[in-house]
């Protein structure tokens, strides 16, 4: 039991370290040289760095630690400790790369920097999340506000990111910088989603049919062995049955053809399978 717990903790801290390195490289290689911003307190730290003599790492700590003190009871002790470690490690890594190693810009082009910087930041944040931690800042504020109001955490984060990005317009008066920063944030969100949920090529299908037994047999023979038959009642109190399956996109046309041949009155509801857990996934 203890060995499994330690193994899990080591794995989570490995994810955190890996994520922090990617995040730091995204900031130092792409964002700082091209004067771009990202969302959250990392973006605020970058903005303050551009208008002051203090490093990005200094501002990361200066902004996040007071927020952690305020929001610690909303995060839980374990999560808060990991968040503190993550913030400090990100800050030290950014300053080490920028001030000690003096890494040269990977590219000095805002378009490429917005794209690849967003990817690096997204990879970094995704692995930090997989390590059951956070980069602090807007996440903390979002949790506190959501606990006190009916505003959703995602809405709070969106508001914070918007304020940070558009405040840069007042300081730099550069519309291109704002637009490229928005592009970068969008790419970051996509990268996080792809890493955390995967790139599934499957669909969720609800099949409502009067030929449940026949369709179940054909599905097992030609498509796959897994599925669920759900019993229900129609609006006129009639008994109805529905087959729920998760199917690969390549077999979707085959399913349509089988349904058409067996029951012309049946209908399909097809939706995205955004995430799957279990059975090897």
């Amino acid at each position: 039991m203890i060995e499994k717990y330690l193994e899990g903790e080591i794995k989570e801290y490995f994810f955190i370290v890996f994520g922090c390195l990617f995040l730091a490289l995204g900031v130092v290689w792409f964002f700082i040289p091209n004067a771009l911003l990202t969302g959250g307190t990392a973006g605020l730290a970058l903005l303050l760095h551009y208008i002051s003599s203090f490093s990005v790492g200094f501002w990361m700590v200066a902004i996040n630690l007071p927020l952690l003190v305020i929001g610690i009871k909303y995060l839980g002790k374990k999560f808060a400790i990991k968040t503190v470690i993550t913030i400090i490690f990100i800050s030290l890594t950014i300053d080490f790369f920028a001030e000690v190693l003096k890494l040269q810009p990977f590219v000095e082009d805002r378009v490429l920097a917005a794209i690849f910087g967003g990817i690096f930041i997204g990879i970094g944040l995704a692995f930090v999340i997989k390590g059951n931690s956070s980069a602090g800042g807007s996440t903390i504020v979002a949790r506190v506000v959501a606990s006190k109001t009916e505003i959703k955490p995602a809405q709070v984060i969106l508001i914070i990111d918007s304020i940070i990005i558009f405040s840069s317009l007042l300081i730099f008066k550069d519309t291109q910088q704002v637009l490229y920063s928005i592009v970068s944030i969008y790419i970051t969100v996509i990268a996080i989603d792809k890493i955390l949920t995967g790139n599934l090529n499957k669909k969720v299908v609800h099949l409502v049919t009067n030929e449940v037994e026949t369709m179940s047999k054909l599905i097992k023979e030609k498509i796959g062995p897994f599925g669920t038959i759900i019993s229900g009642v129609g609006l006129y109190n009639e008994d109805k049955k529905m087959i729920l399956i998760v199917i690969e996109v390549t077999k979707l046309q085959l399913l349509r053809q089988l349904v058409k041949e067996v029951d012309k009155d049946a209908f399909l509801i097809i939706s995205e399978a955004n995430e799957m857990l279990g059975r090897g996934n």
Side-chain angles (χ1 to χ4, degrees):
M1 189 74 177
I2 296 176
E3 289 181 358
K4 287 186 176 180
Y5 173 78
L6 290 175
E7 184 180 337
E9 285 292 298
I10 292 171
K11 185 178 180 180
E12 286 184 355
Y13 276 103
F14 172 79
F15 284 149
I16 291 170
V17 171
F18 186 79
C20 289
L21 290 173
F22 259 84
L23 203 153
L25 286 172
V27 170
V28 175
W29 267 349
F30 301 101
F31 281 69
I32 294 177
N34 295 280
L36 292 175
L37 297 177
T38 184
T41 49
L44 182 57
L46 280 165
L47 183 62
L48 293 172
H49 165 71
Y50 296 146
I51 61 175
S52 72
S53 59
F54 295 102
S55 68
V56 177
F58 168 82
W59 285 118
M60 286 280 290
V61 174
I63 296 166
N64 280 297
L65 290 187
L67 290 175
L68 272 169
V69 172
I70 295 170
I72 192 167
K73 71 175 183 178
Y74 300 96
L75 301 175
K77 186 177 180 181
K78 181 181 176 181
F79 187 82
I81 290 172
K82 282 189 173 181
T83 299
V84 170
I85 293 171
T86 302
I87 291 168
I88 292 175
F89 189 70
I90 290 173
S91 303
L92 292 174
T93 308
I94 289 173
D95 283 354
F96 179 73
F97 286 160
E99 307 296 333
V100 179
L101 294 183
K102 297 187 184 298
L103 291 183
Q104 296 301 305
F106 197 87
V107 64
E108 293 189 39
D109 180 288
R110 280 189 176 176
V111 177
L112 293 174
I115 295 171
F116 289 97
I119 292 172
F120 268 66
I121 298 293
I123 292 172
L125 288 175
F127 275 95
V128 166
I129 294 169
K130 284 173 74 71
N132 195 27
S133 183
S134 82
S138 53
T139 304
I140 300 170
V141 177
R143 290 199 179 198
V144 175
V145 172
S147 68
K148 297 291 186 180
T149 68
E150 294 183 358
I151 302 174
K152 295 179 181 179
Q155 293 174 324
V156 178
I157 293 172
L158 179 61
I159 292 169
I160 293 172
D161 287 351
S162 299
I163 292 172
I164 292 170
I165 293 299
F166 287 103
S167 63
S168 68
L169 184 60
L170 301 175
I171 296 171
F172 300 111
K173 302 186 187 303
D174 186 346
T175 54
Q176 283 191 354
Q177 182 188 39
V178 173
L179 294 176
Y180 286 135
S181 296
I182 293 171
V183 169
S184 181
I185 291 173
Y186 179 71
I187 292 170
T188 294
V189 171
I190 292 175
I192 292 172
D193 183 62
K194 291 296 182 184
I195 292 172
L196 294 182
T197 65
N199 189 18
L200 294 176
N201 63 337
K202 295 183 180 180
K203 302 284 186 180
V204 177
V205 178
H206 294 80
L207 168 59
V208 181
T209 176
N210 294 319
E211 303 291 339
V212 173
E213 291 185 7
T214 304
M215 285 305 308
S216 297
K217 183 179 178 181
L218 288 171
I219 287 170
K220 285 187 289 185
E221 290 177 354
K222 299 180 180 294
I223 293 175
F226 300 115
T228 302
I229 297 175
I230 302 172
S231 298
V233 179
L235 294 177
Y236 297 97
N237 292 318
E238 73 276 23
D239 292 332
K240 284 191 173 183
K241 288 186 177 181
M242 177 172 60
I243 302 174
L244 169 64
I245 58 173
V246 177
I247 183 173
E248 292 180 5
V249 175
T250 55
K251 294 182 179 179
L252 197 56
Q253 186 55 39
L254 173 60
L255 178 63
R256 289 193 182 104
Q257 188 63 36
L258 292 174
V259 172
K260 188 176 180 180
E261 292 174 358
V262 174
D263 185 3
K264 292 183 180 180
D265 294 325
F267 68 92
L268 301 169
I269 302 171
I270 303 170
S271 58
E272 294 288 339
N274 290 324
E275 182 173 3
M276 289 183 62
L277 297 174
R279 291 201 181 122
N281 292 298

